[in-house]
């Protein structure tokens, strides 16, 4: 599998602008995709907010596995200065409580009549602009069904007087985790022109075959579960008009069908990643960082020892 990355110039500009104003922000509202909470969580947000309280909105929860979403909400709520909300656009009443929740997170300002300043952040196509419109109760922010619609920062005032700054949907320069890159591509967070459809669809087919076989079989009326992801795509092509002359399968068409229906929720409620998976990954990363640090210290020790031996060798030569 190849590494998937997408970091247009306006995202780099947005990062610099956010860093400049972050000291003036009281609360960060981070919109996540409930189907892939960590993969849709920009690591630059935690770096930029520097301990500023954050509300994690697990958005598109209507498309996600409900049990997995509850597990993710519990995980985020266990973190310091973090409040998680499970949400989708139909929950207007719950969305309307977000400004009051922001006020509660910074009583030092709200209790003294000072305007609470919030910034809403999120990766492309996670539903950030639609969330802003829901918070405002009117259509202000431009909404699109593909990534990178918002290009610059904007500021709004909500009904309770809270100031809300919008930011462009922002990925990060290098997506280190290979699974995260494919999950972002499968979910639609990365523009179709920046991905190989068949490559991403093959990853998605293999994931579905292992994690949600019953949904795969039901959606495409499969007589039995294929043993490989490419066989899944072949079956989809065969059943959905992807047969070319000579019986050859149009794999690109089959890939488009799978990804479009996966993104649209036609296969059912699906979550791409679990809390347990990421806890294991983070532990492996911690151990690897420790190993590299030990190697670095050992190398520095050898270099220091080598340098201290040089004067003794010169004196011996005299």
């Amino acid at each position: 599998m190849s590494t998937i990355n997408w970091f247009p110039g306006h995202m780099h500009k947005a990062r610099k602008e956010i860093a400049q104003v972050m000291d003036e922000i009281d609360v960060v509202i981070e919109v996540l995709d409930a189907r892939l909470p960590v993969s849709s969580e920009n690591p630059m947000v935690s770096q930029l907010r520097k301990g500023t309280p954050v509300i994690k909105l697990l958005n598109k929860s209507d498309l996600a596995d409900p049990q997995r979403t509850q597990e993710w909400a519990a995980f985020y709520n266990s973190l310091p200065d973090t409040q998680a909300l499970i949400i989708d656009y139909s929950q207007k009443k719950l969305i309307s409580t977000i400004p009051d929740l922001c006020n509660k997170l910074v009583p030092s300002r709200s209790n003294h009549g000072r305007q609470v300043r919030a910034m809403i952040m999120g990766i492309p196509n996670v539903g950030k602009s639609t969330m802003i419109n829901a918070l405002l109760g009117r259509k202000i922010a431009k909404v699109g069904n593909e990534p990178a619609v918002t290009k610059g920062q904007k500021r709004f005032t909500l009904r309770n007087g809270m100031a809300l700054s919008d930011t462009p949907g922002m990925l990060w320069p290098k997506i280190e985790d290979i699974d995260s890159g494919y999950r972002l591509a499968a979910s639609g967070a990365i523009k179709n022109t920046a991905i190989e459809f068949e490559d991403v669809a093959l990853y998605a087919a293999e994931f579905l075959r292992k994690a949600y076989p019953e949904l795969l079989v039901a959606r495409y009326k499969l007589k039995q579960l294929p043993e490989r992801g490419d066989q899944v795509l072949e079956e989809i092509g065969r059943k959905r008009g992807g047969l070319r002359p000579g019986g050859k399968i149009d794999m690109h068409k089959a890939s488009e069908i799978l990804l479009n229906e996966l993104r649209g929720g036609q296969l059912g409620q699906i979550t791409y990643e679990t809390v347990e998976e990421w806890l294991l990954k983070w532990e492996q990363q911690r151990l690897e960082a420790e190993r590299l640090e030990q190697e670095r210290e050992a190398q520095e020790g050898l270099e220091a020892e080598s340098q201290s031996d040089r004067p003794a060798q010169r004196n011996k030569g005299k």
Side-chain angles (χ1 to χ4, degrees), residues 172-189:
W172 50 107
K174 186 176 182 182
I175 302 170
E176 299 284 353
D177 187 83
I178 292 176
D179 290 312
S180 289
Y182 277 94
R183 289 164 184 169
L184 288 165
S187 72

Side-chain angles (χ1 to χ4, degrees), residues 6 10 59 77 82 114 127 151 154 187 195 310 315:
W6 183 54
H10 77 271
N59 194 29
N77 282 326
T82 304
R114 290 184 291 176
K151 293 290 196 278
K154 297 177 179 136
S187 72
I195 68 173
R310 285 173 188 167
N315 291 335

Side-chain angles (χ1 to χ4, degrees), residues 111-176:
N111 290 350
H112 292 84
R114 290 184 291 176
Q115 186 183 49
V116 172
R117 302 157 300 183
M119 177 178 283
I120 189 163
M121 305 175 76
I123 68 167
N125 208 32
V126 79
K128 181 171 57 65
S129 294
T130 307
M131 187 62 65
I132 289 172
N133 291 336
L135 285 168
L136 291 171
R138 60 192 189 279
K139 189 172 181 180
I140 297 288
K142 186 178 178 182
V143 175
N145 60 0
E146 65 173 38
V149 171
T150 304
K151 293 290 196 278
Q153 287 193 49
K154 297 177 179 136
R155 187 163 177 163
F156 310 99
T157 300
L158 302 189
R159 290 170 184 168
N160 72 337
M162 187 182 83
L164 180 67
S165 297
D166 183 19
T167 57
M170 191 171 64
L171 285 172
W172 50 107
K174 186 176 182 182
I175 302 170
E176 299 284 353

Side-chain angles (χ1 to χ4, degrees), residues 16 37 49 51 68 150 199 240 282:
K16 291 173 66 177
R49 71 182 181 89
R68 298 297 187 201
T150 304
D199 194 25
R240 292 293 188 86
W282 288 326

